[in-house]
Amino acid sequence: MVRLHTISRYVGLLLLVNALFLGIGMIISIINHDSGTYPLMYSMLVTVIFGWFPMIYVPPAQNISKNEGFLIVIFGWLITCLVGALPFVLWGGEFTFTNAWFESVSGFTTTGSTILNDIEALPMGLLFWRSSTHWLGGIGVVMLSLVILPNIGHARFVLLRTEMSEVAESNFRYQTKRVLKILLIVYVGLTVAETILLWIFGMDLFDALMHSFATIATGGFSTKNLSIYYYHSVAIEVIIMVFMVLSGIHFGLLFATIIRRSTNIFNSVVVRYYVLSMLVGILFVSLNVHGKVFPGFFESLRYASFQVVSLGTTTGFATIDTKLWPAFSQLILIFFTLQCACAGSTSGGIKVDRIVILLKSIQLNIKRIHHPRAIFTLKLENHIIEDEIIKNAVVFIVLYLLIVFFSGVALTSLGMDSMTALSASAATMGNVGPGFGGVSSMGNFHNVPELGKWILSANMLLGRLEIYGFIALLWMRRT
Amino acid sequence: MGIKYKIFSGFMMLAIMLLVAGFVSIREFMNIGQSVKKLLDDNYLSIDASQTMLEALEREDSGILLLLLGKWQEGRQVIQSADSLFLVNYAIAKKNITIPGEAELVNKIKINYANYKSLWERPIVGTDNEGDFEMYYSQHHQLFLNVKHEVKNLMTLNQETMYQTSTELKNRSQRAVMPGIIAIVTAIVFSLLFVYYITYYFVRPIIQITNGIENYQRSNENFDVEVDTRDEIKKLADSVKRLLQSLS
């Protein structure tokens, strides 16, 4: 039986973490004498009350069931998004309730799609909170995929094993506390390293920290209307690109590489495919935009690489408006919007792991056609991948694409053009951020109809919880 | 934590939530009042003065035309009354400098108007200039347009600021209303949560204890009531258990 009071206690704990960041935002606003003080203060108060109140009544639980664990994750995500919208809706400006909800969901799911026309109009404290939603959401995602889901079990959640990747399951089966420690070290370490580098290369400290929050979480919220283009700096672009690529890799693998384990990013098939696919993408896009959009090849390479890496890691930062690019380049970018980065990272989308499994299973099926009596097995990272996992990966990809398609169709019924609708749907489902057409890299989601914003918010949450989070919730009654 | 403090904390949290929402709303409403005053004092006065200055300038221009037509008395009368009207409103605009860049514009108006005035103060009727419309277009009208341009700039600056202030007012009104709405919604949710905890942690165990005692009385059943919390309810259940054990 699910204990609602126990769930409320642990959701309350999550709210207290949010309250801490709301408090920091409030202090920034107080120091800066900006209009964010009272919205952040009141939001913090409400969050503290709702977080702390269950602690007074509900004693700590000795054990939490799988179902309760899942409900904590799902309610935690939904209530956190709701609380995250409070400072925005209290501040006003461009934030209606729908807009505030969209921005909050986009932040916590590390999507990075924005409804804001003028980001720079936001007070500093609110900008901090906006970027913090990414950072908090990012760590939440990694913990979900590497700590909570593996602990929830196997059988019924066998589908989710692909999510955390076979490598993660076999080599990083540490105690929860140890895994948490590792994740925090990698997550905070990457954030600090990027902040320092961006600061050294010309960003002010606040912007450097905010962009690091958004990069490590593969979110994409910038503090500037022109995103990274604002800085006109190759050094800043390169630093952000490197950290985007790193943040798209399995965090356990990153840690293993740092501590020089035998299984590391250099011998991982998934990482190799992830990097290679992006390099091929960069090459194709560079050649395509060279002469058509940019006269020089260096310029083409610079902008193409940033956009491919930005979308391929689901970050969504921009240095150029890609809606003006040729259709070939746009379609390649859409491929990366769907594929996204590695499992066990902060990125969303179908994920490279599933694509690798899919490609290998196609290869396997061709072999089986040629040699019908032979017995073949699919191997990934020296592990045999069971047929069930292959089937689940394929089902996931099909289900994912169907949701993208049907939500795109729903958006066109609201009057949006097909390119904007489908790319917005893919970009939110993959937690990427910008799409094409009316929601391109230099545009925003302000003009999307109200109902459309709710559809896209649902997409972001579905994408973040890997679809199966909700499916598992529906199955809960059977267990 | 005892029952008293648990219940007290619930009510206190509710009260704090409503009090702070009330405080934020009142503060924002007071700010709205100040913004409205600012809107009227700073911008509306300057816009009104600019409009009157434009009207005065048009009348002065008509006065000059009357002089060119040889109507000295009517022309001078119109010009003098328009001049005094212009100067009164110029003084209002000068006194009401509140926006960055407004002082420069007011100064430009002063310089351009002085140039314009120096031209129409010279005699026209009975001189070679009477009926000289070419001279009017090349000199008087040009200077008239210059002053008009600067006055219009002053009006536009104030109108833009007025628009910004009104947008700010809209935001402030949202900031004043939203804590109230959020306080109502959160207070309802909080009350439901409060009732749930009270029912689960206080009412339910009391019913269980009562049922346990009744069962003991009726059929000598073992008193087996487990209470999760470490408060008076737990003490009550343990005491009843010990009492019934001592009786049996």
CSV table of all heavy atoms in Angstrom, one decimal, chain A residues 53 67 105 121 170 185 194-195 243 295 348 350 379 393 400 402:
chain,number,residue,atom,x,y,z
A,53,PHE,N,6.7,21.4,6.8
A,53,PHE,CA,5.5,20.9,7.5
A,53,PHE,C,5.4,19.4,7.6
A,53,PHE,O,5.2,18.8,8.7
A,53,PHE,CB,4.3,21.5,6.9
A,53,PHE,CG,3.0,21.3,7.7
A,53,PHE,CD1,2.9,21.7,9.0
A,53,PHE,CD2,1.9,20.7,7.1
A,53,PHE,CE1,1.8,21.5,9.8
A,53,PHE,CE2,0.7,20.5,7.9
A,53,PHE,CZ,0.7,20.9,9.2
A,67,ASN,N,6.9,1.4,-5.6
A,67,ASN,CA,5.8,2.3,-6.0
A,67,ASN,C,5.9,3.7,-5.3
A,67,ASN,O,5.7,4.7,-6.0
A,67,ASN,CB,4.4,1.7,-5.6
A,67,ASN,CG,4.1,0.5,-6.5
A,67,ASN,OD1,4.8,0.3,-7.5
A,67,ASN,ND2,3.1,-0.2,-6.2
A,105,VAL,N,8.9,24.4,-16.1
A,105,VAL,CA,9.0,23.0,-16.6
A,105,VAL,C,10.2,22.9,-17.5
A,105,VAL,O,11.0,22.0,-17.4
A,105,VAL,CB,7.7,22.5,-17.3
A,105,VAL,CG1,7.9,21.1,-18.0
A,105,VAL,CG2,6.6,22.4,-16.3
A,121,ALA,N,15.4,41.7,-19.2
A,121,ALA,CA,14.5,42.5,-18.4
A,121,ALA,C,14.3,41.9,-17.0
A,121,ALA,O,13.9,42.6,-16.1
A,121,ALA,CB,13.2,42.7,-19.1
A,170,SER,N,26.6,-2.6,-14.7
A,170,SER,CA,27.6,-3.6,-14.4
A,170,SER,C,28.8,-3.1,-13.6
A,170,SER,O,29.3,-3.7,-12.7
A,170,SER,CB,28.0,-4.3,-15.6
A,170,SER,OG,28.5,-3.4,-16.5
A,185,ILE,N,30.3,14.9,-7.0
A,185,ILE,CA,31.7,15.4,-7.3
A,185,ILE,C,31.8,15.8,-8.7
A,185,ILE,O,32.3,16.8,-9.1
A,185,ILE,CB,32.7,14.3,-6.9
A,185,ILE,CG1,32.8,14.1,-5.4
A,185,ILE,CG2,34.1,14.6,-7.4
A,185,ILE,CD1,33.6,12.9,-4.9
A,194,GLU,N,33.9,24.9,-15.4
A,194,GLU,CA,33.5,25.7,-16.5
A,194,GLU,C,33.3,27.2,-16.0
A,194,GLU,O,33.7,28.1,-16.8
A,194,GLU,CB,32.1,25.2,-17.0
A,194,GLU,CG,31.8,25.9,-18.3
A,194,GLU,CD,30.4,25.6,-18.8
A,194,GLU,OE1,29.7,24.7,-18.3
A,194,GLU,OE2,30.0,26.3,-19.7
A,195,THR,N,32.8,27.4,-14.8
A,195,THR,CA,32.6,28.8,-14.4
A,195,THR,C,34.0,29.5,-14.4
A,195,THR,O,34.0,30.6,-14.9
A,195,THR,CB,32.0,28.8,-12.9
A,195,THR,OG1,30.8,28.0,-12.9
A,195,THR,CG2,31.7,30.2,-12.4
A,243,PHE,N,32.4,21.5,-22.6
A,243,PHE,CA,31.6,21.1,-21.4
A,243,PHE,C,30.2,20.6,-21.8
A,243,PHE,O,29.7,19.7,-21.1
A,243,PHE,CB,31.4,22.3,-20.4
A,243,PHE,CG,32.7,22.4,-19.6
A,243,PHE,CD1,33.7,23.3,-20.0
A,243,PHE,CD2,32.8,21.7,-18.4
A,243,PHE,CE1,34.9,23.4,-19.2
A,243,PHE,CE2,34.0,21.8,-17.7
A,243,PHE,CZ,35.0,22.7,-18.1
A,295,PRO,N,30.7,33.0,-46.0
A,295,PRO,CA,31.7,33.0,-47.0
A,295,PRO,C,32.9,32.1,-46.7
A,295,PRO,O,33.4,31.4,-47.6
A,295,PRO,CB,32.1,34.4,-47.3
A,295,PRO,CG,31.7,35.2,-46.0
A,295,PRO,CD,30.6,34.4,-45.4
A,348,GLY,N,18.4,14.6,-22.6
A,348,GLY,CA,17.1,13.9,-22.8
A,348,GLY,C,17.1,13.1,-24.1
A,348,GLY,O,18.2,12.7,-24.6
A,350,ILE,N,16.0,10.4,-27.3
A,350,ILE,CA,16.1,8.9,-27.5
A,350,ILE,C,17.3,8.4,-26.9
A,350,ILE,O,17.3,7.3,-26.3
A,350,ILE,CB,16.0,8.6,-29.1
A,350,ILE,CG1,14.6,9.0,-29.6
A,350,ILE,CG2,16.3,7.1,-29.3
A,350,ILE,CD1,14.5,8.9,-31.1
A,379,LYS,N,26.3,-7.6,-28.7
A,379,LYS,CA,27.1,-7.2,-27.6
A,379,LYS,C,27.3,-5.7,-27.6
A,379,LYS,O,27.5,-5.1,-28.6
A,379,LYS,CB,28.5,-7.9,-27.7
A,379,LYS,CG,28.5,-9.3,-27.1
A,379,LYS,CD,30.0,-9.8,-27.1
A,379,LYS,CE,30.1,-11.1,-26.3
A,379,LYS,NZ,31.5,-11.5,-26.3
A,393,ALA,N,14.2,-1.1,-26.6
A,393,ALA,CA,14.8,0.1,-27.2
A,393,ALA,C,14.0,0.4,-28.4
A,393,ALA,O,13.7,1.6,-28.6
A,393,ALA,CB,16.2,-0.2,-27.5
A,400,TYR,N,8.4,7.1,-28.8
A,400,TYR,CA,8.9,8.4,-28.7
A,400,TYR,C,8.6,9.2,-30.0
A,400,TYR,O,8.0,10.3,-29.9
A,400,TYR,CB,10.4,8.3,-28.6
A,400,TYR,CG,11.2,9.6,-28.4
A,400,TYR,CD1,11.5,10.0,-27.1
A,400,TYR,CD2,11.6,10.4,-29.4
A,400,TYR,CE1,12.2,11.2,-26.9
A,400,TYR,CE2,12.2,11.6,-29.2
A,400,TYR,CZ,12.5,12.0,-27.9
A,400,TYR,OH,13.2,13.2,-27.7
A,402,LEU,N,6.2,8.6,-32.2
A,402,LEU,CA,4.8,8.7,-32.3
A,402,LEU,C,4.3,9.9,-31.4
A,402,LEU,O,3.5,10.7,-31.9
A,402,LEU,CB,4.1,7.5,-31.8
A,402,LEU,CG,4.0,6.3,-32.8
A,402,LEU,CD1,3.4,5.1,-32.2
A,402,LEU,CD2,3.2,6.7,-34.0
